[in-house]
Amino acid sequence: MNRRRVDVLADTPHPAYVVWELTLRCDQACRHCGSRAGKPRQDELSTEEALDVARQLADLGAHEVVLIGGEAYLHEGFLRIVEELRQAGVVPTMVSGGLGISAELARAMALAGMELVSISIDGLEAAHDRLRAAGSFAATTRALEHLGWAGIVRGTNTSLNRLNRADLEGLYDHLLESGVTAWQLQLTVPMGRAADRPELMLQPWDLLDLMPRVAAVKRRAFDAGVTVTAGNNLGYFGPEEALLRSPGPEGRDHFCGCHAGRFILGIEADGGVKGCLSLQSRDYVVGNVRNGSLRQLWEQTPALAAARGRSVDSLWGFCRTCPFAETCMAGCGFTSHALFGRQGNNPYCHFRALTLARQGKRERLVPGAPARGEPMDHGLFDLVVEDLRAADPAADRSVDDLVRLARRPRRPADPGACR
């Protein structure tokens, strides 16, 4: 699959990459689901309305549209929407739990023009089934087989947390055997049902152990022809930054800030529009496709325009003083909002964890106010700075190991390598 990379320094902002929730209806009730998927939203877009949205996305210059849910294939017009996107010149892809992807459905998706399907696999069998449902891991393996037989490019995505972090290397081996060609890794964020289970969350210092392991897996994957990608809430300017952000082993790319409302657009199943689908609905929906065209929303909505003009003045805490502040802009916005109720300070940062470790410190996230119980909601956390040698039964590494990791030389990133 030839996925065009956006040059965020040179390109004019446009919704190149759109994530579209066709329905919130789902055939699983995953314990870490940020959207609390299961039942459909009230008044979801009909097939005819969705087909019109597909045509509008093409007119806006969308390059790739990722269909998600819930489960996108549970929308009655799913295949017609895929076909409409393809005929309009937009690349249709999909993220799915895979439970209902039979051989028949996979063939139908291929005929409609589906190019890539990324199956969510959150650990090896024990961890995955605990997060999702008994038998779910086996179902994902079958789904990957069906997609391969149908000729659809197969990818996977994994949300890393305390339950599955030990599975990283073993899961890579499983995916390689399953014929996967692309694997995206991101952190589980305390949104939706995951907000009800803060014990799942990694702590910021866990990045000191996790990021070198992710980098080692990516090095192995180069030789196997598998593309391993760090999601937008994973990493940030540690020693492996250039490796993690680049498509090839010699790349010098690096994280260049959140692209929500700049090159990314999110659409909810009821027509709500926001800069990124992962952003919290209550705070970031800027309008609805039923009340105006997508072009009007993209070009005239003040909230989206503000996203394109953010400056370091919107940052706070450690992120405000970070040497990478102007480039990184506190990383992933929905992640920091899920923790503190606002963007601008993100403790899930490799550089930050390394910096604090050099000072003999670490940050701990402590649950505060609970979530409301709505789709894409969040609670609130307190951030505690403590001595690195504080007793922690969950810690996996000795203090000496953490300090050793913190003192490794860091390869500087190329400031022009934003893609």
Side-chain angles (χ1 to χ4, degrees), residues 79-96:
L79 292 173
R80 290 183 62 193
I81 295 164
V82 173
E83 187 174 10
E84 185 68 35
L85 288 168
R86 172 58 77 184
Q87 290 179 350
V90 180
V91 176
T93 63
M94 179 182 180
V95 173
S96 171

Side-chain angles (χ1 to χ4, degrees), residues 41 57 59 66 94 106 139 261 272 293 349 359 378 389:
R41 293 183 187 269
L57 288 172
D59 181 63
V66 186
M94 179 182 180
S293 71
C349 167
Q359 301 169 4
H378 66 93
R389 288 173 168 79

Side-chain angles (χ1 to χ4, degrees), residues 260-261 275 283-287 295-310:
D283 299 281
Y284 293 100
V285 170
V286 300
R295 182 172 294 280
Q296 288 175 322
L297 289 169
W298 180 261
E299 295 178 350
Q300 301 175 20
T301 304
L304 289 182
R308 296 163 203 155
R310 289 180 65 212

Side-chain angles (χ1 to χ4, degrees), residues 17 32 95-96 118-123 131-132 156-162 164-165 168 171 182-189 200-202 207 210-211 214 228-236 245 278 332 334-335 348:
Y17 185 82
H32 60 320
V95 173
S96 171
S118 181
I119 300 295
S120 299
I121 304 181
D122 292 314
L131 286 166
R132 292 178 177 265
T156 55
N157 57 90
T158 300
S159 291
L160 296 167
N161 51 57
R162 286 193 172 270
N164 64 23
R165 62 177 173 172
L168 180 68
L171 182 54
W183 187 22
Q184 178 172 299
L185 298 164
Q186 59 270 337
L187 298 179
T188 298
V189 176
L200 281 177
M201 292 171 51
L202 294 171
L207 296 178
L210 181 64
M211 298 313 302
V214 172
V228 175
T229 304
N232 285 340
N233 73 350
L234 182 66
Y236 313 134
R245 300 291 169 193
S278 297
C332 174
F334 83 85
T335 298
Y348 284 118

Side-chain angles (χ1 to χ4, degrees), residues 44-340:
E44 294 188 344
L45 297 180
S46 68
T47 297
E48 292 305 318
E49 288 175 314
L51 292 173
D52 181 61
V53 168
R55 290 186 284 268
Q56 290 187 58
L57 288 172
D59 181 63
L60 269 175
H63 176 69
E64 179 179 347
V65 174
V66 186
L67 302 175
I68 72 166
E71 275 293 357
Y73 57 68
L74 295 178
H75 189 284
E76 62 179 5
F78 168 61
L79 292 173
R80 290 183 62 193
I81 295 164
V82 173
E83 187 174 10
E84 185 68 35
L85 288 168
R86 172 58 77 184
Q87 290 179 350
V90 180
V91 176
T93 63
M94 179 182 180
V95 173
S96 171
L99 194 64
I101 297 183
S102 62
E104 181 182 14
L105 178 58
R107 288 193 296 270
M109 290 162 58
L111 288 172
M114 182 68 72
E115 187 148 337
L116 175 147
V117 175
S118 181
I119 300 295
S120 299
I121 304 181
D122 292 314
L124 295 172
E125 187 168 16
H128 178 92
D129 283 4
R130 185 174 174 186
L131 286 166
R132 292 178 177 265
S136 178
F137 184 82
T140 64
T141 303
R142 291 193 298 271
L144 288 171
E145 292 174 351
H146 296 325
L147 293 167
W149 292 334
I152 295 175
V153 179
R154 293 167 289 177
T156 55
N157 57 90
T158 300
S159 291
L160 296 167
N161 51 57
R162 286 193 172 270
L163 190 61
N164 64 23
R165 62 177 173 172
D167 291 351
L168 180 68
E169 293 81 3
L171 182 54
Y172 168 75
D173 292 335
H174 170 74
L175 298 179
L176 189 61
E177 293 175 359
S178 300
V180 165
T181 59
W183 187 22
Q184 178 172 299
L185 298 164
Q186 59 270 337
L187 298 179
T188 298
V189 176
M191 286 177 60
R193 294 193 190 101
D196 304 335
R197 297 170 174 84
E199 69 278 2
L200 281 177
M201 292 171 51
L202 294 171
Q203 287 290 346
W205 71 78
D206 288 321
L207 296 178
L208 297 175
D209 168 74
L210 181 64
M211 298 313 302
R213 293 171 56 208
V214 172
V217 166
K218 180 158 185 171
R219 291 188 187 98
R220 290 176 58 196
F222 282 133
D223 293 336
V226 177
T227 301
V228 175
T229 304
N232 285 340
N233 73 350
L234 182 66
Y236 313 134
F237 298 98
E240 301 87 2
E241 177 69 11
L243 169 69
L244 293 173
R245 300 291 169 193
S246 302
E250 302 304 322
R252 295 181 61 86
D253 288 2
H254 61 81
F255 184 76
C256 294
C258 176
H259 298 325
R262 298 180 62 221
F263 298 101
I264 295 174
L265 184 68
I267 305 174
E268 295 185 345
D270 59 4
V273 174
K274 48 191 177 180
C276 167
L277 188 66
S278 297
L279 288 167
Q280 292 77 2
S281 300
R282 178 180 286 268
D283 299 281
Y284 293 100
V285 170
V286 300
N288 193 289
V289 297
R290 288 184 169 123
N291 301 326
S293 71
L294 274 173
R295 182 172 294 280
Q296 288 175 322
L297 289 169
W298 180 261
E299 295 178 350
Q300 301 175 20
T301 304
L304 289 182
R308 296 163 203 155
R310 289 180 65 212
S311 72
V312 294
D313 292 336
S314 65
L315 307 183
W316 54 284
F318 182 99
C319 289
R320 181 64 180 83
T321 63
C322 176
F324 300 105
E326 189 173 353
T327 299
C328 181
M329 293 297 293
C332 174
F334 83 85
T335 298
S336 54
H337 194 110
L339 299 173
F340 307 123

